[in-house]
Amino acid sequence: MRALALRAHYGQPLEVDLCETCRLVWFDGLESVQLSGPSWIDLLLALEDRDTSVSPPAAERLGCPRCRKALGDSFNQTRWGRFRSHGCPAGHGWLQPQTQLLSERGLLRPPTRGERVAMAAEHRPWNCLNCGAPTAGDGAGCTHCGTPLLLFDLPRLAASLQGREGRDAPGASAGGRTAAAPRLHAWACHACGSPMDPTVDPRCGQCDHPALAGRFDDLRPLLLALRQSARAQARQPALAPDRDRRRPLNTTFGHLM
């Protein structure tokens, strides 16, 4: 495994350990919840597809990289559901395969029947997001490692990776985009090639083909556009307060003060 230098919230330095070959990520303590939105983008880019498929080792057979003790199974509850984790019994950290990492943040979802038909019409290989092996889209899971076939949830991914600054900006919509924010036309429709923003429009405006991301290669242009947008937001000056901070709030506590 190698150390990947990232950033936590408020610009604090943070390192996570990952193995690109096995598609495994190790988090010390609470590092997974401390990562900022741009750092999640960098982590996903570091875990993008390789040219060859791999057989990720069973996480439960691996030991803690700190104390070498066997990892135990536990189930954590998030707002996206209940997910399995592999933790060190001494509390040193957590090991997560790639698909568990993405599923825990709600970035993956099963395809619908219509989306399976659309993927087949595109004549593109459907790669397993766990091991990277190409597999037929008409099955329930990967024929190489048995992982269920999944797609990236593009609107949820964009809202998750934009960070607190983009979600809290004035005029922000429920999906996390601001009214004045430029559209991320970093996606070419797989059917007609027209530019589109899959985080806002789930279907192409020209041919009505759905925007489907079943491989990391499909995701890369969008991740690069989101990273550029996040860096531009970080360079913007802080918003001025909309009221005089010297005046008390029009509340009972404010009148008492």
Side-chain angles (χ1 to χ4, degrees):
M1 302 185 84
R2 72 176 179 93
L4 179 64
L6 300 171
R7 290 284 178 180
H9 298 296
Y10 308 109
Q12 297 298 315
L14 184 148
E15 278 189 353
V16 300
D17 301 310
L18 73 154
C19 177
E20 301 99 326
T21 305
C22 299
R23 295 184 173 90
L24 296 173
V25 183
W26 174 267
F27 292 109
D28 290 331
L30 299 176
E31 287 179 341
S32 63
V33 298
Q34 295 172 349
L35 279 179
S36 64
S39 290
W40 272 106
I41 298 175
D42 293 335
L43 179 58
L44 291 180
L45 287 171
L47 286 171
E48 65 177 322
D49 271 349
R50 296 298 180 261
D51 295 333
T52 58
S53 60
V54 299
S55 295
E60 58 270 16
R61 296 203 307 264
L62 300 177
C64 171
R66 304 287 183 260
C67 64
R68 303 301 178 184
K69 292 183 179 179
L71 301 180
D73 288 345
S74 62
F75 291 88
N76 295 331
Q77 183 73 33
T78 71
R79 57 177 171 168
W80 312 117
R82 191 165 178 257
F83 296 96
R84 182 183 181 188
S85 298
H86 311 284
C88 170
H92 290 136
W94 306 89
L95 185 70
Q96 285 190 309
Q98 181 172 281
T99 49
Q100 287 186 12
L101 174 69
L102 296 172
S103 297
E104 186 171 352
R105 292 182 62 84
L107 304 183
L108 301 178
R109 61 174 177 82
T112 64
R113 179 175 297 181
E115 288 171 339
R116 288 176 180 268
V117 173
M119 285 284 288
E122 293 175 10
H123 300 292
R124 292 187 303 127
W126 192 317
N127 289 70
C128 172
L129 294 178
N130 185 45
C131 71
T135 184
D138 53 356
C142 173
T143 56
H144 187 69
C145 68
T147 302
L149 293 184
L150 300 167
L151 292 174
F152 286 100
D153 192 316
L154 298 177
R156 186 180 293 171
L157 180 138
S160 174
L161 299 182
Q162 275 185 321
R164 186 180 182 88
E165 294 82 1
R167 293 192 298 269
D168 293 346
S173 64
R177 298 293 298 277
T178 61
R183 293 169 64 87
L184 300 173
H185 287 106
W187 185 281
C189 173
H190 292 145
C192 68
S194 299
M196 59 180 297
D197 184 350
T199 66
V200 175
D201 304 314
R203 308 186 73 89
C204 175
Q206 300 295 324
C207 66
D208 201 42
H209 189 78
L212 304 175
R215 308 170 59 201
F216 269 93
D217 289 345
D218 299 330
L219 205 63
R220 183 176 177 81
L222 180 60
L223 290 177
L224 293 176
L226 285 171
R227 183 168 65 178
Q228 182 179 2
S229 176
R231 290 177 176 175
Q233 286 181 359
R235 290 193 295 266
Q236 292 178 354
L239 296 175
D242 56 358
R243 66 174 182 86
D244 187 353
R245 295 289 182 179
R246 293 171 296 182
R247 291 187 301 166
L249 293 171
N250 188 22
T251 62
T252 303
F253 178 77
H255 291 312
L256 290 175
M257 293 296 294

